[in-house]
Amino acid sequence: MNLTYQILKNHLAEGTLTAGREISIRIDQTLTQDSTGTMAYLQFEAMGVPRVKTELSVAYIDHNMLQAGFENADDHRYLETVTKKHGVRLSKPGNGVCHQVHLERFAVPGKTLLGSDSHTPTAGGLGMLAIGAGGLDVAVAMSGGTYSLLCPSVTNIKLTGTLSRGVAAKDVILEVLRILTVKGGVGKVMEYTGPGVKTLSVPERATIANMGAELGATTSVFPADENARAFMRAQGREQDYVEMLPAADATYDETIEIDLSSLTPLVALPHMPDNVRTVEETGEIKADQVCIGSCTNSSYLDMMRVAKILKGKTVHPDVSLVIAPGSRQVLGMLAKNGALNDMIQAGARITETACGFCIGMGQSPRTNAVSLRTNNRNFFGRSGTKSAGIYLVSCETAAASALSGVLTDPRALDTDLTVDMPETFLYNDNLIIMPAEAGNDAEVVRGPNIQPFPQADALADTLTGKALLKMEDNITTNHIMPSDSKLLPFRSNIPKLSEYCLTPVDETFPARAKAAGGGFLIAGHNYGQGSSREHAALVPLYLKIRGVIAKSFARIHKDNLINNGILPLTFKDEADYDRFDVDDEIELADIRKLVAGGVTTVPVKNLTKGFACETELVLSPRQQGMILAGGLINKIKSEQ
Ligand code: MIC
Ligand code: SF4
């Protein structure tokens, strides 16, 4: 059996392991971060369960770090107090980016992890089955519930050869993105095998697993082998190591072979992570900003390679170089061995160990800037500057380019880029705050920024409304619910956020949706890719969006829509997409009866144009219940 199915089998609660069928699995660990976590804990509280029932649940504060008003600090305080009360460990601001810290301190091979962040698969670098989900699904897992998903098919990415000097793990995942595109991983787990795996350290594997999220994959997983054991030993956690390997006769649904020796430095051009070219063919584009860090590329090994490149040199006068080490552990080690000073002397601006620039929480580049970044997403506007172009590169390419002022192939450097895995990392868990004992009466502090979340009504017999917006392929959750340093502070304030819903597509959308009293959205393929933010469903719910009719959906967003009682319908014949226009009056007649009867073909009437077309609504019995009740919270409440 392949590794993915071994872990799924060990955690299977319901269903059979047949690709495409719904299964439910037990969740050992959960992870939340602050930008999705506030909502997840509000939902957890609404479920009325006194204490989390997982083996381990950790809440990280790493996203909403700029405190330019009271809002973020209020959310932090809420998280600090709600986690204390309900049995969740809290990683304080300053301890690091959730995925980096979780890999260092908590990931365990063979276990399951559900996280309210789409890059939760990072822990797949250590042989864990780590899946990103909406906050509500994570809240259910914390309360002891299982997690339901479509049983994935498994793609074997067979690695051979060895990376050449100056070519990095980041280039491996950019190559996978080039081959498969941002929708190529939907419904699949990427399982890495082959002799090339041994040549990659755990942090390098984590970089690859992390950015597997950009393929739309359910997750990515590496075997837990001697490299994993060495990493865990250096973290003082060898006792948690379990060998996890695919069986010798493991089978896969498809295999992609990548010869690591044949790769060259790659770059994803604006505005999609699969818009990949070689650095060589892209040429010497002038750079205004270089940002190094994020959960993709901020490990000790990454940072040491950057420090080596920068040592004794000065950043190009026209470039602003920003470096955000991924965790306090990494920052501490750089400080201790002097590498931090090499970075500072070269002219780097060191920012706190947090998501920072990656989520537009500061460091927005200048108008029309070219910004080279080591993170995983270059979606339009995500940096906080709409006119800027974000280019995704490896740490080596970023550092080399910061010195030259233009996109530079790091293979041309004469620096020795070898960095050994340390015998011991500088670990210290004193910023992980342990929860209070069970049965405590700890107070939960709610500042004025914490607003109640919207709840859907039970599904009506017939739904009508206007097509409010028609969108192209690959609309991201950043389009649906933009977030930057100005909007992130309102993650627990849905009415405020609703004023910005879908504005990157159409500035007039929120006002029109409100005036019309809600309606429908028409979309192309892969609607809702990217971030797991549930706000991309909660805000449309608040605006009374009743359904989204698309060519196809991204996994997490589709689940978030259903969890919140919004219908995800797909065109049976894609050509019907062309027959809809904005303002067309739409009707889903007898929809309640159809959903209750498990009918999968739903006729959509276009009353304006006088035709009906067929759409597909595939819901498991569990999901039917949620849609009928008007969302998961309503369903849970009705069952209590
Ligand atoms: C992201 O990288 O887009 C985020 C911010 O980490 C999101 C979560 C969010 O929107 O808060 C994610 O990837 O899920
Ligand atoms: Fe944070 Fe960026 Fe990673 Fe999201 S992708 S968790 S914003 S560092």
Side-chain angles (χ1 to χ4, degrees), residues 63 97-99 117 119 210 294-295 355 358-359 376-377 382:
H63 279 63
V97 179
C98 53
H99 309 303
D117 189 281
H119 291 103
N210 170 283
S294 90
C295 59
C355 299
C358 175
I359 183 61
N376 44 41
R377 289 185 175 144
R382 182 175 162 104

Side-chain angles (χ1 to χ4, degrees), residues 223-463:
D225 55 7
E226 281 310 309
N227 289 5
R229 182 202 289 272
F231 177 82
M232 292 183 78
R233 187 186 308 126
Q235 290 287 350
R237 303 201 291 122
E238 195 179 359
Q239 72 282 2
D240 291 337
Y241 172 74
V242 192
E243 186 180 71
M244 292 298 306
L245 305 174
D249 60 353
T251 54
Y252 295 91
D253 297 283
E254 61 178 337
T255 299
I256 295 171
E257 257 195 67
I258 295 180
D259 175 6
L260 298 176
S261 326
S262 71
L263 295 181
T264 64
L266 297 172
V267 49
L269 310 186
H271 297 286
M272 270 303 145
D274 62 358
N275 198 1
V276 175
R277 306 273 185 285
T278 64
V279 167
E280 216 167 4
E281 71 185 312
T282 308
E284 297 188 338
I285 313 169
K286 197 165 161 30
D288 301 285
Q289 186 190 46
V290 175
C291 299
I292 301 177
S294 90
C295 59
T296 319
N297 273 130
S298 61
S299 67
Y300 172 76
L301 299 185
D302 273 338
M303 291 292 147
M304 284 305 294
R305 277 189 279 263
V306 169
K308 280 190 156 195
I309 295 172
L310 296 179
K311 189 176 170 127
K313 313 253 171 51
T314 300
V315 168
H316 189 277
D318 294 343
V319 172
S320 169
L321 172 64
V322 176
I323 302 181
S327 68
R328 190 174 53 119
Q329 175 182 108
V330 173
L331 181 59
M333 289 173 77
L334 299 176
K336 205 164 171 201
N337 71 13
L340 185 62
N341 195 39
D342 295 336
M343 293 171 165
I344 296 170
Q345 293 312 320
R349 300 166 64 182
I350 309 295
T351 60
E352 71 179 314
T353 58
C355 299
F357 66 82
C358 175
I359 183 61
M361 201 28 94
Q363 300 300 336
S364 298
R366 72 163 174 83
T367 306
N368 296 330
V370 166
S371 178
L372 309 183
R373 298 181 167 208
T374 66
N375 58 299
N376 44 41
R377 289 185 175 144
N378 55 351
F379 299 151
F380 173 74
R382 182 175 162 104
S383 67
T385 305
K386 284 193 184 132
S387 63
I390 308 298
Y391 295 70
L392 305 176
V393 293
S394 70
C395 283
E396 290 81 339
T397 303
S401 309
L403 295 177
S404 63
V406 292
L407 180 67
T408 298
D409 188 329
R411 291 175 302 173
L413 296 169
D414 50 17
T415 324
D416 170 19
L417 293 173
T418 45
V419 179
D420 292 330
M421 174 71 97
E423 287 282 304
T424 325
F425 288 98
L426 195 66
Y427 51 85
N428 179 356
D429 291 332
N430 62 340
L431 291 191
I432 302 283
I433 308 301
M434 296 303 280
E437 295 293 314
N440 68 82
D441 57 359
E443 188 204 350
V444 178
V445 181
R446 285 165 232 274
N449 193 42
I450 312 264
Q451 297 282 325
F453 54 91
Q455 299 227 10
D457 300 326
L459 184 65
D461 292 335
T462 290
L463 291 175

Side-chain angles (χ1 to χ4, degrees), residues 94-275:
N95 201 38
V97 179
C98 53
H99 309 303
Q100 175 66 25
V101 177
H102 209 85
L103 186 77
E104 291 168 355
R105 307 305 306 146
F106 298 113
V108 176
K111 299 259 182 196
T112 51
L113 167 69
L114 194 71
S116 67
D117 189 281
S118 63
H119 291 103
T120 304
T122 313
L126 208 47
M128 203 170 191
L129 201 78
I131 303 178
L136 187 49
D137 282 326
V138 177
V140 169
M142 287 193 285
S143 73
T146 54
Y147 174 63
S148 302
L149 72 163
L150 288 185
C151 182
S153 63
V154 185
T155 299
N156 175 11
I157 304 201
K158 193 168 168 202
L159 303 179
T160 59
T162 319
L163 290 173
S164 319
R165 189 181 152 281
V167 184
K170 181 64 158 284
D171 300 310
V172 179
I173 187 62
L174 287 173
E175 171 69 1
V176 179
L177 272 153
R178 191 188 63 75
I179 300 170
L180 287 177
T181 80
V182 289
K183 45 181 192 286
V186 177
K188 301 175 184 173
V189 170
M190 303 291 139
E191 184 169 320
Y192 288 84
T193 68
V197 167
K198 282 198 192 63
T199 69
L200 299 171
S201 66
V202 166
E204 287 173 315
R205 297 174 185 182
T207 294
I208 296 170
N210 170 283
M211 213 174 159
E214 274 51 73
L215 299 162
T218 304
T219 189
S220 300
V221 65
F222 276 84
D225 55 7
E226 281 310 309
N227 289 5
R229 182 202 289 272
F231 177 82
M232 292 183 78
R233 187 186 308 126
Q235 290 287 350
R237 303 201 291 122
E238 195 179 359
Q239 72 282 2
D240 291 337
Y241 172 74
V242 192
E243 186 180 71
M244 292 298 306
L245 305 174
D249 60 353
T251 54
Y252 295 91
D253 297 283
E254 61 178 337
T255 299
I256 295 171
E257 257 195 67
I258 295 180
D259 175 6
L260 298 176
S261 326
S262 71
L263 295 181
T264 64
L266 297 172
V267 49
L269 310 186
H271 297 286
M272 270 303 145
D274 62 358
N275 198 1

